[in-house]
Amino acid sequence: MTSAVVIGTQWGDEGKGKIVDLLTEKADVVVRFQGGANAGHTLVVGGETYALHLVPSGILRPEKMTVIASGVVVDPEALIGEIEALRARGVRVSPDNLKVSDKAHLIFPYHKALDGARERPLPGMGPEGTLKIGTTGRGIGPAYEDKASRKGLRMADLLHPESLREKLGQALMEKNALFTHLYGLEPVSLDAMVALGQEWGQKLAPFIRDSWKIIQDSLARGLRILFEGAQGTQLDIDHGTYPYVTSSSTVSGGASTGAGVAPALLGKITGLVKAYSTRVGEGPFPTELLGAEGERLREVGHEYGATTGRPRRCGWLDCVVARAAAALSGLTWAAVTKLDVLAGFSEIKMAVAYRLDGEELLYPPSDIRDLARVEPVYRSFPGFAEDISGARALADLPRNCRVYLEALEEAVGVPLGLVSVGPERDETIVLGEFF
Ligand code: IMP
């Protein structure tokens, strides 16, 4: 098989940037298939830190091709900014090594304005009228809504300035009614949006391609394709902690629909399991630590949003959600990340089940009202104090660390494929072939 998928098993921020970058060494093409600039993939290469939001992590290796596929919602402003920022740091970004799907939907400023407005109380009303999700404010939900209701504009529309005004006019009629009558906002100027669309078209035209055919063609030529997931399984629109989720399919199946590749061609599926849990935004989080231990995980693990800078909520590893992710995505194996962050805790815990109304659950309940009431069933482990960043084989790890990993493997129900022991590329224990 010449393709492989990387997805998050938790609430995102599992350290996908580093792992995708590492696997990219063996890949020819790296594809983002869902989400948008809500993602923030952090990579540390040669002491330099890069935070990528839309451009696939493969861009940092100049000989690789990267693709933003049809399932992604693209904010051209963010994309142009990212391309310019990468170029300013000497990274090659050209139409040769970055392709953007002509079918990918566009995020306009009015999507972001709507995203923000929905998170605030309605003018003249109390907070009870608002469902605050704690979104990244990047317009992701409103753009996917337009896509599903067939009102969206796609990258290909930027190549047809003659029809841009008509399409934007149709989209804005409803948006402006919402802005002025419901949200107390100024209406959006059609002229300004048309001008923006034209400017984006001029800048991005060389990158806009029929990405699914490029991917199919690459597969036919035996090239290795890496599908880079964003967010995590608990944020999946169908299988996450709805409504506190993102608006796309974050499970492995999303790679199939978002990139246009048959499920049977996806190859090995790697699920990232951070050695502890984090969550940004609202919603239930059974293993959350509200005291000093949570604070310590946040500081040592630098758990602040790469996109919004928000402090992440932190807690012990939850194998119940990782077990569900293993089933939902058909994981080949787990890649454990940020294990080094646990060094120095005298005791480490992991949830292996939930208790709800006297029953023991091995998978999260569907309804968040129940999820908010579960009690984690913990296993407790003695901690380790050693610096593990030099370990390159499991045998190099302290015994207590190995015991924790074995328990993780058993609780999640898939073998380990990789263990990350530090932020740099080489601070990694690789246990298998990813393609
Ligand atoms: P949205 O994707 O901006 O609509 O946000 C919906 C929910 O997903 C919020 O709880 C966000 O904090 C969360 N979210 C979205 N993208 C990411 C990510 O890349 N990492 C972690 N959480 C995310």
Side-chain angles (χ1 to χ4, degrees):
M1 192 69 74
T2 60
S3 44
V5 186
V6 173
I7 58 118
T9 65
Q10 296 154 313
W11 285 273
D13 307 318
E14 294 95 351
K16 282 181 287 290
K18 169 183 161 167
I19 305 303
V20 169
D21 174 59
L22 201 70
L23 268 53
T24 299
E25 193 182 357
K26 300 265 165 29
D28 302 296
V29 184
V30 184
V31 181
R32 271 282 309 268
F33 55 88
Q34 45 71 231
N38 49 350
H41 292 175
T42 307
L43 294 84
V44 183
V45 182
E48 292 265 319
T49 302
Y50 298 84
L52 298 171
H53 300 283
L54 267 169
V55 176
S57 304
I59 201 74
L60 295 182
R61 298 185 188 256
E63 69 286 7
K64 312 292 177 184
M65 195 211 286
T66 61
V67 178
I68 297 176
S70 314
V72 176
V73 280
V74 178
D75 175 354
E77 206 161 275
L79 179 59
I80 293 165
E82 207 165 311
I83 292 172
E84 285 170 358
L86 282 165
R87 283 178 173 163
R89 294 177 72 177
V91 178
R92 185 173 81 91
V93 188
S94 80
D96 291 337
N97 69 343
L98 173 67
K99 322 273 178 195
V100 184
S101 170
D102 50 4
K103 293 182 188 168
H105 276 249
L106 294 169
I107 297 183
F108 276 89
Y110 55 80
H111 292 115
K112 289 185 264 189
L114 197 53
D115 199 358
R118 294 226 177 97
E119 294 273 299
R120 295 188 291 270
L122 284 172
M125 307 249 301
E128 59 280 353
T130 307
L131 173 67
K132 186 170 167 11
I133 304 289
T135 72
T136 60
R138 297 298 186 267
I140 306 295
Y144 276 119
E145 281 169 44
D146 277 3
K147 172 177 173 172
S149 63
R150 279 87 29 106
K151 291 189 194 72
L153 276 82
R154 311 202 286 185
M155 289 302 293
D157 290 313
L158 298 181
L159 303 176
H160 295 278
E162 75 287 353
S163 54
L164 209 50
R165 176 169 291 274
E166 189 191 338
K167 289 205 156 201
L168 275 166
Q170 285 163 358
L172 277 185
M173 213 168 348
E174 217 175 65
K175 295 287 178 304
N176 276 339
L178 276 179
F179 285 157
T180 51
H181 296 309
L182 190 62
Y183 293 114
L185 296 173
E186 289 296 312
V188 175
S189 148
L190 175 59
D191 285 344
M193 291 305 105
V194 172
L196 201 54
Q198 284 169 347
E199 183 196 321
W200 290 344
Q202 277 159 14
K203 290 190 173 155
L204 293 175
F207 296 94
I208 303 175
R209 300 290 304 277
D210 46 359
S211 71
W212 79 275
K213 287 188 207 142
I214 293 174
I215 296 168
Q216 293 284 343
D217 179 53
S218 303
L219 281 169
R221 289 165 51 209
L223 298 181
R224 291 175 162 183
I225 320 257
L226 180 62
F227 296 97
E228 173 181 5
Q231 291 85 45
T233 306
Q234 288 302 311
L235 294 173
D236 183 272
I237 183 75
D238 292 298
H239 304 289
T241 51
Y242 191 89
Y244 300 102
V245 293
T246 191
S247 302
S248 64
S249 295
T250 60
V251 294
S252 62
S256 179
T257 55
V261 172
L265 297 179
L266 291 183
K268 289 183 187 165
I269 299 170
T270 300
L272 264 65
V273 181
K274 185 155 65 180
Y276 52 94
S277 304
T278 58
R279 168 161 212 170
V280 204
E282 311 297 319
F285 181 3
T287 62
E288 183 167 16
L289 291 166
L290 294 169
E293 286 165 317
E295 192 65 38
R296 179 176 174 158
L297 286 171
R298 185 174 311 116
E299 292 314 314
V300 179
H302 308 293
E303 296 295 353
Y304 293 88
T307 301
T308 58
R310 290 180 290 178
R312 296 175 184 147
R313 299 156 67 191
C314 296
W316 295 124
L317 174 63
D318 185 340
C319 293
V320 182
V321 306
R323 186 183 294 132
L328 288 163
S329 282
L331 295 187
T332 308
W333 48 30
V336 177
T337 58
K338 298 185 98 165
L339 186 61
D340 50 303
V341 173
L342 293 181
F345 278 93
S346 55
E347 183 194 26
I348 305 170
K349 290 186 183 178
M350 91 177 39
V352 293
Y354 295 152
R355 198 164 286 123
L356 180 68
D357 299 330
E359 246 186 273
E360 204 161 286
L361 306 180
L362 292 179
Y363 293 100
S366 304
D367 193 318
I368 57 158
R369 283 165 289 212
D370 290 332
L371 188 61
R373 292 193 302 119
V374 300
E375 250 180 70
V377 177
Y378 284 116
R379 273 190 74 183
S380 173
F381 302 86
F384 57 95
E386 296 89 337
D387 172 5
I388 59 167
S389 60
R392 297 293 175 267
L394 289 179
D396 300 337
L397 291 171
R399 198 185 116 69
N400 286 353
C401 212
R402 292 201 309 269
V403 169
Y404 181 74
L405 287 177
E406 279 160 23
L408 184 158
E409 200 170 15
E410 186 191 323
V412 178
V414 291
L416 298 182
L418 181 153
V419 180
S420 171
V421 291
E424 287 280 351
R425 271 178 183 163
D426 64 335
E427 290 173 335
T428 312
I429 300 170
V430 179
L431 298 163
E433 294 286 333
F434 284 82
F435 283 95

